[in-house]
Amino acid sequence: MHKKDIIIFSAPSGSGKTTILKRLFAIYPDLLTFSVSATSRPKRSNEVEGKDYYFLTEQEFRTKIANGDFLEWEEVYNGILYGTLKSEIDRIRANGKIIAFDVDVNGGISIKKLFKSSAVSIFVMPPSIEELQRRLEFRGTESKESIAKRIERSAMELSMSDKFDYTILNDDINLAVAKAKEIIEKELK
Ligand code: 5GP
């Protein structure tokens, strides 16, 4: 079977996909490399420039769109831009590693369409919208307004889960990571 070299994780905000990805990077440090996205949102206090995101002003972001620097980009929440830089893909492919994406559902669908059978796409399903809200509140990184925007968007995102190759229910983080490992062993290694 042809092995894939791209793994895409998409989910509503608060589903735990970033946590699952961090665990996978610890398990497969030599296999996976994170595709660092660009965003116009402000940096959270626990985030590192160039590691979690490339933090750009909206103006800088829009200049890069105009220059054709993005593989894909989306306005995920009102006025906040997120996108994958083409240079990021070149950087990782040059190292011969598997590229792991943490992108919104539209981005995930676009990247799968671009890379087709080289990519495996995974939707991380939260147990419920109520649980999503609870996790976002517990995380404490978002304002009330930002939580409301994320919850408002989640119904649309959940309705798109069937466009992904796999769905992982994240009810129990250990089980979710185990399921992701199974997919990696089958499709990527
Ligand atoms: P957050 O603000 O919580 O870091 O991310 C919000 C959403 O934007 C998440 O669903 C995340 O996966 C998504 N996102 C991050 N980077 C990208 C990207 O490069 N492209 C797209 N389409 N979405 C992204």
Side-chain angles (χ1 to χ4, degrees):
M1 187 175 79
H2 173 73
K3 292 287 174 179
K4 302 172 193 306
D5 66 354
I6 288 177
I7 185 163
I8 305 161
F9 286 86
S10 296
S13 178
S15 301
K17 74 177 174 309
T18 307
T19 309
I20 295 174
L21 267 164
K22 290 205 163 134
R23 294 269 295 265
L24 293 174
F25 290 122
I27 298 168
Y28 299 109
D30 299 326
L31 185 72
L32 299 178
T33 301
F34 183 54
S35 164
V36 180
S37 296
T39 182
S40 69
R41 84 154 159 70
K43 193 165 84 62
R44 295 176 190 145
S45 58
N46 61 338
E47 289 178 324
V48 178
E49 160 67 29
K51 187 164 167 276
D52 296 290
Y53 280 107
Y54 301 113
F55 293 95
L56 305 178
T57 63
E58 187 179 342
Q59 188 52 51
E60 288 167 337
F61 200 112
R62 294 210 180 272
T63 302
K64 288 192 187 294
I65 295 174
N67 290 342
D69 292 342
F70 284 104
L71 186 74
E72 63 80 38
W73 65 274
E74 296 286 335
E75 185 180 327
V76 180
Y77 307 108
N78 300 354
I80 301 185
L81 305 169
Y82 294 84
T84 306
L85 290 161
K86 291 176 183 166
S87 55
E88 192 60 13
I89 309 304
D90 299 340
R91 173 182 78 83
I92 300 170
R93 280 218 154 138
N95 293 335
K97 295 232 201 157
I98 286 166
I99 313 177
F101 289 96
D102 173 342
V103 291
D104 90 303
V105 288
N106 294 321
I109 292 165
S110 305
I111 294 168
K112 173 74 192 184
K113 274 196 188 135
L114 282 169
F115 293 103
K116 301 191 179 70
S117 61
S118 301
V120 59
S121 64
I122 299 174
F123 186 91
V124 180
M125 179 74 78
S128 65
I129 293 187
E130 292 69 37
E131 177 61 15
L132 261 192
Q133 172 124 18
R134 202 191 63 75
R135 287 183 189 173
L136 283 169
E137 282 166 4
F138 180 76
R139 195 166 86 183
T141 57
E142 306 306 311
S143 64
K144 269 211 160 77
E145 194 200 4
S146 169
I147 292 178
K149 276 187 192 167
R150 283 162 193 258
I151 293 298
E152 193 183 300
R153 193 180 153 86
S154 63
M156 175 283 282
E157 294 171 319
L158 291 174
S159 76
M160 286 163 77
S161 63
D162 63 346
K163 308 235 182 298
F164 288 76
D165 297 327
Y166 293 91
T167 295
I168 295 180
L169 173 68
N170 186 17
D171 200 355
D172 172 317
I173 183 72
N174 292 322
L175 290 179
V177 170
K179 177 84 187 139
K181 272 181 71 181
E182 249 174 55
I183 297 170
I184 290 174
E185 301 288 334
K186 178 168 170 238
E187 303 268 12
L188 303 173
K189 276 198 85 183

